[in-house]
Amino acid sequence: MAYTVVGQSVSRVDAVAKVTGKAKYTDDFSERDMLIGKVLHSPYAHAIVKSIDVSKAKALPGVEAVLTYKDLPEIRYATAMPGVIEAIATDEVSVAELKYGTAGHPFSLDSSHRDKEDRHILTQKARFVGDNIAAVVATDALIAAKALKLIEVEYEVLEALTSTEAALKEGAPLIHDDCERNILASGGYEIGNIEEAFKDSDHVIEGEYETSIVQHCHLENQVSHAYVDSDRRIVIMTSTQIPHIVRRIVAQSLGISWGRVRVIKPYVGGGFGNKQDVTIEPLNAAMSLAVGGRPVKLELSREEAMIDTRTRHAFKFKIKTGINQDGKINGIHISAVSNTGAYASHGHSIASSGGGKFRYLYPTKALKYDPITVYTNLPVAGAMRGYGTPQIFFAFESHIEDIAKKLNMDPIEIRKKNLVEVGFVEPLSKNKIMSCAIRECIDKGRELIKWDAKKALYKKQSGDKRRGLGMACFSYASGTYPVALELAGVRIVMNQDGSVQLQLGATEIGQGSDTVFAQMVAEILGLPMYMVHVISTQDTDITPFDTGSYASRQTYVTGMAVEKAALEIKQKVLGFCHSMTDTPAHLLDLKDQWIVFKESGEKVQALEVVAMQSYYDRVHAQPITSDVSNNARINAIPFGVTFAEVEVDIKTGKIKILEIYNVHDSGKIVNPLLAEGQVHGGVSMAIGYALSEQLLFDEATGKPLNNNLLDYKLPTIMDTPKIGAAFVEKEDPTGPFGVKSLGEPPIVSPAPAIRNAVLDATNVAFNRIPMTPQRVFEKLKEAGTI
Amino acid sequence: MYDIKGYYDAETVSEATALLAENPNLKLIAGGTDVLIKLHGGQLEGAELLGLRKIKSLEHIRVADDGTIVIGAMATFSTVFNNPILRELIPILTEAAISMGGPQIRNIATIGGNVCNGATSADSASSLFALNAQLKLQAKNGERLVPIREFYLGPGKVALNPGEILTEILIAPEDYKGFGGQYIKFSMREAMDIATLGVAVVCKVQSGNFAEVRIGLGVAGPTPLRCLEAEEYAKGKKISSETLAEIGKLAVKSAKARTSWRASKEYREHLVEELTQRALKIAVVNAGGAELV
Ligand SMILES: Cc1cc2nc3c(=O)[nH]c(=O)nc-3n(C[C@H](O)[C@H](O)[C@H](O)COP(=O)(O)OP(=O)(O)OC[C@H]3O[C@@H](n4cnc5c(N)ncnc54)[C@H](O)[C@@H]3O)c2cc1C
């Protein structure tokens, strides 16, 4: 289809606001006499609070409240603010005892589908270094920090389980008493008969792969403020991806009805999944309640945010693949151990989702997936861009490379032999592949990097610097259907001049969704971009219901609601014009702020005239608005590939990426420049994942070693090569304007592509990331290369 | 919010030394890129700061009549990097300067602060060690000169007496004239990173032989250090791969590397051996010698 606005690299709707500093983030908002909250973190990874004495902290001038696991009780509802917050919890349950889950998933009416509720606002049992034991509210940050030091805590220190092996060993202490062994959940799937598939195979090849704990490192740390308003409700302004879910979880954590909470989300400085979780908000609300509803701000430092929010699950994989001489895979068996840290958060969903999105790429007769998700005394792992897929694709795309090498097959040919085709119905989700350009993506990437010429060139190398090429593929999804609810809400109001306000439940968190939604509306209503005003702030009192930004769902899922809402506006405009001109609506269209004849383009009425009439006609006035909700009971599968060229300094173990290309099949690209931005961001995150990033902990104590941006090696722009982004645009029939998702996909395949390039350069297979210089040195030494 | 109790400014060195003499609790602050990090991390509390940024005389870089290079302690890394004299005469210092932090940090961080902070990873230190720099320390009642090798006492510990301010860094003509050098910062990132190893070498070449070699290493021990055994060995030796290999091995002997979560002893020593050779290879060419192939 030919579009005028969709498909154009229009400027971000928030570009000027952001570069001029006019865009306001949570920290830019202030309430009068705002107090400051700070958290007392456990210094032990596994310990029970034996006693806690807050008297000295309370006595410090400027300290307004001290909260502990014992002192979050319902007294606050009963006496401090009688009648203000009515606890739906009965008298027997105190807030201190209430457990809640934090994951940013839509609520499920089916209780068996809910996330595990294993968290308290403040805990008596520390389960990781950084766990929240107590908190203070004071008139300024320095006093709050001093007060924390005056809190005296006596701990009974328990054995710190800092690895999944330690957590799973016989007789290991339980991190959560209600769990048998330290397993949060297990269970995957089996399609076909794996043993038979292996029997029918010419070769059965095994491999083991491992990924590490990394952190999102979004620019804006978690920050919020909370107060009780004149309507006696708790208002929280927070940097979140999921305002409506925050509202629910804060209410659950306090045992109050959901309507008692209002959440406001202004501009957000990045989330990458870490803000698809509820972290500081319940405590922030409790802090405000502890001081009679006065405003309290809670902001994490980088050091805190790196351990006391969420991380990416580290995985260990064992893979076994049955394959025929001709390269056709018969069966794949993947076992996985996922390290979820101290609390469930998104927990087993990460392992499940990674395993789910993997099923679309290489359909096989038999596929078996056995993941288990294990609790350890490490920071809590949650959602992070890619949601389990960077892990499983690192493992499998490394594995298939190893197979190709073993069987002396071309790595591209072996993949092509097994790739999915249009029409494939994935047996478990029943999602059908309606568009697929993975082969074209591969061909394009191969050409961009000059694969064939360079492969020949790098055949025989012996110097200190060796080059190699690698590639890896992925499949993803657009939203979570059929696993979870995919509801999106959109409201459009047309103004007197024909311009519109666009209000969305889906949150702009830097990815550019506000802009592509505005493009969709502009396209449908024949408006220039400047006449579409996006309300970027979400306020749960006002904003239509949408579960938020995650799962690469916005352009596809929310896009459907946007399309629906804009079409409704269009119908109403044309209908109104019909009533004004007697020209049947079905003959009309919208173009360049005019109502025109669909066929000839002849002008019928200026949009502005219709809009004015809709407001002020003495008989027919009815301003044009739409307010829709869309439940997307469908999914579209995006694909893509990374091609990478590296140079390995054999003597120092340093890997340099010379060239890297991500080629995506994400359907129609609504805004090429923004799409490229998504790819650049995702690839650069993946480069850190492959080469340098890892949160490290002392094995014995679980103490974090590098929870700051000096010691945690997030790549700088100087470490980032020029990233090539390319797209093969095949419109998917299910999505609005033919789109498929693109938010998370760019991070999935670079790490294995880089690993495969290093294998090509050195002949050494690195099965664990990150491939830091020291690890590369050690492994090359072991292999006798140095 | 920083835990700062008081802040004082001095406009001249004598004003600063007088203030210091009066109040021994004053903590000097230059660019503040180490001091503020310590305040943020809680290693410094209730600080009373004495700012040196108004003392413009300490920003100068010049060559004295006798050929001594004089670098004011308050010269920022950007100033050092952009200084034409230093670029020409001692490029191993300007290379070290540009390898440091990022543009914003280099615009505010001073070379004096770098040295006085006492970190083994200080990017200027290995070059200043290789250049035999001398430090001029000024107190209310007089000044003294200390060779940089005697200044570093231990991690974060330097030989500043109470009341003293570092005013100038001096490099004598005999220590740089006729030398070629090279600085290699080996770090996990290309910017905004602390060195895993810093190697600064200078050498003088005479008809295919090393006339003199000096090797300064950072992060190879608790303080920056020199590889005296390797330097001694190199004197008069023919410039060859074999000689370089031996120098690399001997350099490891001077290193006091240890295993930490940042890097293992074995890896650090391997880097000392390898990077000393790499740096020397380039230094030879910079000193007018022939390239080793
Ligand atoms: C983001 C970041 C990146 C960094 N990257 C690097 C890097 O790559 N390489 C590197 O080496 N360092 C790095 N640093 C550390 C720091 O920037 C340097 O050590 C810098 O040179 C310190 O200089 P300053 O002027 O900021 O010192 P300050 O912080 O002001 O002072 C440092 C110490 O020296 C003392 N002091 C300062 N001036 C004098 C004086 N004239 N006489 C006596 N004592 C004095 C102070 O009391 C204090 O103890 C980095 C720091 C940051 C925050």
Side-chain angles (χ1 to χ4, degrees):
Chain A
M1 275 264 301
Y3 302 116
T4 57
V5 191
V6 164
Q8 301 298 314
S9 292
V10 304
S11 311
R12 293 181 67 105
V13 294
D14 51 9
V16 172
K18 284 184 172 172
V19 299
T20 56
K22 283 197 171 150
K24 282 190 167 185
Y25 297 77
T26 298
D27 190 47
D28 296 320
F29 290 87
S30 191
E31 292 293 323
R32 205 175 54 187
D33 298 329
M34 187 123 78
L35 300 167
I36 301 294
K38 279 199 185 291
V39 185
L40 181 72
H41 299 283
S42 168
Y44 300 108
H46 203 184
I48 292 168
V49 175
K50 282 282 148 202
S51 69
I52 187 161
D53 182 350
V54 300
S55 52
K56 285 186 189 143
K58 270 196 170 146
L60 187 70
V63 171
E64 300 286 316
V66 181
L67 296 80
T68 70
Y69 73 91
K70 292 194 283 202
D71 205 4
L72 275 172
E74 52 282 288
I75 315 164
R76 306 221 186 287
Y77 311 100
T79 60
M81 301 175 56
V84 168
I85 307 293
E86 67 269 48
I88 52 166
T90 57
D91 288 344
E92 302 98 66
V93 185
S94 74
V95 173
E97 284 165 39
L98 272 185
K99 279 188 180 177
Y100 58 99
T102 65
H105 290 143
F107 185 70
S108 178
L109 293 173
D110 172 359
S111 63
S112 68
H113 274 177
R114 288 186 204 147
D115 291 299
K116 168 127 193 209
E117 295 172 339
D118 62 1
R119 196 118 201 200
H120 291 108
I121 293 180
L122 294 170
T123 181
Q124 186 183 5
K125 185 179 185 194
R127 295 180 172 89
F128 67 100
V129 174
D131 210 347
N132 296 349
I133 305 297
V136 298
V137 179
T139 47
D140 74 38
L142 285 179
I143 295 173
K146 279 193 185 127
L148 289 182
K149 289 190 191 145
L150 295 175
I151 299 177
E152 291 166 359
V153 189
E154 192 194 326
Y155 293 94
E156 177 192 337
V157 179
L158 307 174
E159 184 191 350
L161 305 170
T162 59
S163 67
T164 50
E165 289 81 4
L168 290 175
K169 74 174 186 280
E170 205 62 49
L174 289 181
I175 295 170
H176 293 273
D177 294 338
D178 60 349
C179 272
E180 265 181 69
R181 307 183 66 206
N182 289 305
I183 297 174
L184 167 61
S186 61
Y189 51 78
E190 180 166 5
I191 301 167
N193 184 322
I194 193 71
E195 291 311 322
E196 261 171 38
F198 287 154
K199 250 184 252 152
D200 294 343
S201 301
D202 297 332
H203 308 274
V204 176
I205 297 172
E206 300 183 45
E208 295 189 14
Y209 307 88
E210 191 179 336
T211 68
S212 299
I213 301 175
V214 293
Q215 221 263 340
H216 317 65
C217 298
H218 35 77
L219 206 54
E220 182 198 32
N221 287 325
Q222 271 75 1
V223 54
S224 61
H225 66 253
Y227 57 92
V228 176
D229 70 5
S230 56
D231 194 23
R232 302 185 305 184
R233 296 193 305 162
I234 298 171
V235 181
I236 305 176
M237 180 178 282
T238 181
S239 174
T240 183
Q241 301 173 214
I242 48 164
H244 280 285
I245 295 179
V246 172
R247 164 189 247 182
R248 178 210 1 128
I249 293 177
V250 168
Q252 289 174 324
S253 74
L254 295 169
I256 59 177
S257 53
W258 301 2
R260 280 271 170 220
V261 179
R262 174 179 168 202
V263 175
I264 302 167
K265 173 246 142 203
Y267 279 107
V268 168
F272 306 114
N274 202 356
K275 296 172 185 169
Q276 190 205 341
D277 213 308
V278 173
T279 52
I280 58 176
E281 295 90 348
L283 177 58
N284 196 174
M287 285 172 164
S288 174
L289 293 174
V291 292
R294 292 161 68 192
V296 180
K297 175 166 147 183
L298 177 56
E299 179 178 21
L300 299 186
S301 66
R302 179 64 64 184
E303 290 80 358
E304 289 178 296
M306 285 186 79
I307 55 165
D308 187 22
T309 58
R310 302 293 176 262
T311 63
R312 191 191 286 291
H313 291 73
F315 270 71
K316 290 191 172 121
F317 293 95
K318 286 193 172 129
I319 309 184
K320 200 168 163 185
T321 296
I323 186 167
N324 283 347
Q325 196 57 36
D326 65 357
K328 182 78 195 146
I329 297 173
N330 285 323
I332 304 167
H333 183 184
I334 303 178
S335 309
V337 181
S338 164
N339 183 346
T340 204
Y343 293 96
S345 174
H346 287 252
H348 199 57
S349 301
I350 302 292
S352 300
S353 176
K357 286 160 186 151
F358 174 74
R359 293 198 300 263
Y360 300 105
L361 190 59
Y362 304 118
T364 49
K365 270 191 279 183
L367 178 60
K368 187 171 181 198
Y369 182 46
D370 292 319
I372 73 168
T373 298
V374 180
Y375 279 124
T376 58
N377 293 121
L378 293 177
V380 184
M384 181 169 172
R385 194 179 198 169
Y387 209 83
T389 54
Q391 293 96 322
I392 198 167
F393 280 101
F394 170 73
F396 192 80
E397 286 297 290
S398 298
H399 179 64
I400 195 170
E401 194 78 13
D402 295 346
I403 294 174
K405 205 167 160 65
K406 209 164 205 169
L407 302 184
N408 208 9
M409 287 188 66
D410 181 87
I412 294 181
E413 288 318 307
I414 194 172
R415 286 177 172 88
K416 280 195 168 172
K417 195 137 222 153
N418 293 288
L419 284 171
V420 68
E421 308 264 0
V422 168
F424 170 67
V425 178
E426 197 284 305
L428 298 180
S429 66
K430 304 284 187 276
N431 284 335
K432 184 172 181 177
I433 307 289
M434 306 287 280
S435 65
C436 174
I438 180 65
R439 288 169 182 78
E440 293 89 328
C441 287
I442 292 175
D443 293 343
K444 194 162 191 172
R446 179 181 197 147
E447 217 177 282
L448 283 169
I449 207 162
K450 305 191 179 66
W451 177 271
D452 299 273
K454 285 181 185 164
K455 270 277 186 191
L457 203 62
Y458 300 158
K459 265 226 162 90
K460 286 208 172 69
Q461 300 177 83
S462 57
D464 278 355
K465 303 218 167 150
R466 297 186 201 167
R467 294 184 172 191
L469 292 167
M471 54 87 72
C473 303
F474 74 87
S475 50
Y476 206 73
S478 306
T480 60
Y481 183 81
V483 177
L485 177 70
E486 281 301 354
L487 201 65
V490 172
R491 184 180 301 136
I492 300 177
V493 173
M494 183 168 273
N495 301 317
Q496 288 87 338
D497 59 358
S499 66
V500 294
Q501 274 79 252
L502 170 61
Q503 213 177 357
L504 307 132
T507 49
E508 168 69 67
I509 57 166
Q511 79 277 44
S513 58
D514 278 356
T515 304
V516 303
F517 295 143
Q519 284 180 268
M520 290 177 179
V521 171
E523 184 70 51
I524 292 169
L525 298 182
L527 291 174
M529 281 293 286
Y530 66 83
M531 289 184 75
V532 182
H533 310 296
V534 184
I535 314 292
S536 197
T537 298
Q538 276 74 29
D539 176 335
T540 52
D541 270 12
I542 302 164
T543 305
F545 184 79
D546 184 302
T547 47
S549 280
Y550 54 85
S552 304
R553 63 191 287 277
Q554 288 71 224
T555 307
Y556 183 76
V557 171
T558 304
M560 291 181 196
V562 169
E563 190 178 32
K564 196 167 160 183
L567 285 173
E568 189 179 319
I569 294 285
K570 181 174 175 178
Q571 278 322 308
K572 286 182 176 169
V573 170
L574 301 185
F576 212 95
C577 183
H578 182 178
S579 70
M580 290 166 65
T581 62
D582 276 345
T583 315
H586 71 269
L587 299 179
L588 299 174
D589 203 355
L590 286 173
K591 201 171 179 236
D592 300 336
Q593 302 174 65
W594 278 85
I595 290 92
V596 298
F597 278 107
K598 206 185 265 173
E599 294 303 320
S600 64
E602 190 193 331
K603 288 176 177 171
V604 177
Q605 189 63 271
L607 176 62
E608 191 185 353
V609 173
V610 177
M612 280 297 275
Q613 206 85 14
S614 77
Y615 273 85
Y616 303 113
D617 184 282
R618 297 296 278 259
V619 181
H620 302 290
Q622 185 173 18
I624 292 169
T625 65
S626 66
D627 191 342
V628 310
S629 195
N630 189 73
N631 189 358
R633 298 183 53 78
I634 197 158
N635 211 320
I637 308 304
F639 299 93
V641 60
T642 304
F643 280 83
E645 180 187 6
V646 302
E647 180 175 270
V648 184
D649 184 333
I650 300 288
K651 289 277 178 64
T652 62
K654 247 202 188 169
I655 297 166
K656 190 171 162 189
I657 297 170
L658 301 177
E659 289 187 34
I660 190 158
Y661 299 91
N662 256 35
V663 189
H664 289 266
D665 161 17
S666 284
K668 172 77 184 169
I669 300 299
V670 181
N671 186 318
L673 195 61
L674 281 181
E676 225 177 283
Q678 288 297 300
V679 176
H680 288 177
V683 172
S684 77
M685 280 182 110
I687 288 172
Y689 192 48
L691 299 181
S692 60
E693 288 180 46
Q694 179 176 14
L695 267 181
L696 296 164
F697 302 90
D698 182 277
E699 236 173 83
T701 63
K703 286 207 162 70
L705 299 171
N706 61 342
N707 54 323
N708 61 72
L709 292 179
L710 171 60
D711 294 316
Y712 179 85
K713 305 299 181 185
L714 194 71
T716 69
I717 195 68
M718 304 289 283
D719 304 289
T720 311
K722 188 165 174 282
I723 294 166
F727 303 94
V728 176
E729 291 187 60
K730 267 193 191 170
E731 292 181 17
D732 189 277
T734 67
F737 300 94
V739 307
K740 300 196 277 189
S741 72
L742 182 65
E744 293 162 281
I747 203 179
V748 185
S749 53
I754 293 166
R755 177 267 186 196
N756 293 339
V758 174
L759 170 64
D760 188 44
T762 62
N763 227 354
V764 177
F766 289 85
N767 292 349
R768 179 174 163 209
I769 45 173
M771 297 177 277
T772 60
Q774 181 172 326
R775 281 200 198 143
V776 172
F777 159 74
E778 284 165 357
K779 198 119 200 217
L780 291 179
K781 198 160 177 213
E782 200 184 292
T785 314
I786 307 180
Chain B
M1 232 178 178
Y2 293 104
D3 192 3
I4 297 170
K5 235 174 38 206
Y7 184 81
Y8 308 89
D9 265 335
E11 300 202 2
T12 62
V13 174
S14 53
E15 209 183 303
T17 50
L19 280 168
L20 262 186
E22 246 169 63
N23 181 356
N25 288 333
L26 284 181
K27 174 76 183 162
L28 291 177
I29 181 165
T33 58
D34 283 316
V35 170
L36 292 178
I37 297 288
K38 286 193 176 129
L39 276 164
H40 170 78
Q43 294 111 296
L44 250 181
E45 288 178 330
E48 287 184 83
L49 301 175
L50 173 55
L52 302 176
R53 296 194 72 207
K54 289 195 176 155
I55 311 180
K56 295 294 162 198
S57 64
L58 291 184
E59 291 174 16
H60 290 169
I61 297 173
R62 63 194 168 89
V63 181
D65 293 343
D66 67 351
T68 300
I69 298 172
V70 183
I71 304 168
M74 290 298 291
T76 65
F77 278 83
S78 293
T79 307
V80 169
F81 173 68
N82 289 314
N83 186 279
I85 305 173
L86 300 184
R87 281 195 174 193
E88 190 195 325
L89 301 181
I90 44 170
I92 57 163
L93 187 64
T94 56
E95 281 160 24
I98 192 68
S99 78
M100 187 268 185
Q104 297 90 337
I105 293 293
R106 290 194 292 273
N107 281 342
I108 188 128
T110 64
I111 189 163
N114 200 225
V115 171
C116 292
N117 193 51
T120 182
S121 56
D123 269 309
S124 67
S126 3
S127 294
L128 293 175
F129 267 64
L131 291 166
N132 275 334
Q134 306 245 51
L135 307 178
K136 193 190 266 184
L137 307 177
Q138 176 88 44
K140 191 182 172 198
N141 302 320
E143 63 179 39
R144 60 185 179 119
L145 273 184
V146 180
I148 193 161
R149 277 166 55 200
E150 291 165 24
F151 188 67
Y152 278 83
L153 304 177
K157 258 205 208 120
V158 292
L160 266 179
N161 292 330
E164 279 182 332
I165 294 176
L166 169 66
T167 53
E168 287 173 343
I169 298 169
L170 310 174
I171 296 153
E174 61 271 22
D175 286 320
Y176 72 87
K177 282 202 167 146
F179 284 86
Q182 179 67 18
Y183 178 68
I184 296 179
K185 174 175 182 173
F186 188 84
S187 54
M188 297 298 113
R189 286 190 290 227
E190 296 300 311
M192 300 298 280
D193 210 354
I194 183 177
T196 308
L197 182 71
V199 182
V201 302
V202 293
C203 67
K204 230 180 208 169
V205 173
Q206 214 163 43
S207 40
N209 292 343
F210 282 119
E212 192 177 348
V213 171
R214 294 200 300 265
I215 304 167
L217 299 181
V219 208
T223 63
L225 49 87
R226 283 273 295 275
C227 302
L228 298 180
E229 201 175 335
E231 294 176 12
E232 199 51 45
Y233 166 85
K235 230 174 236 167
K237 291 280 178 327
K238 183 173 176 298
I239 299 172
S240 66
S241 308
E242 292 72 32
T243 304
L244 286 191
E246 190 58 27
I247 292 173
K249 286 211 172 72
L250 290 172
V252 174
K253 281 192 162 180
S254 300
K256 299 186 186 81
R258 61 180 187 93
T259 293
S260 77
W261 62 266
R262 287 196 172 89
S264 69
K265 177 170 194 277
E266 190 200 5
Y267 182 56
R268 288 182 202 273
E269 291 185 340
H270 170 78
L271 287 177
V272 169
E273 186 176 345
E274 174 66 23
L275 298 181
T276 304
Q277 295 182 61
R278 283 192 191 181
L280 258 180
K281 256 187 211 167
I282 305 167
V284 164
V285 176
N286 290 341
E291 191 178 340
L292 267 184
V293 274

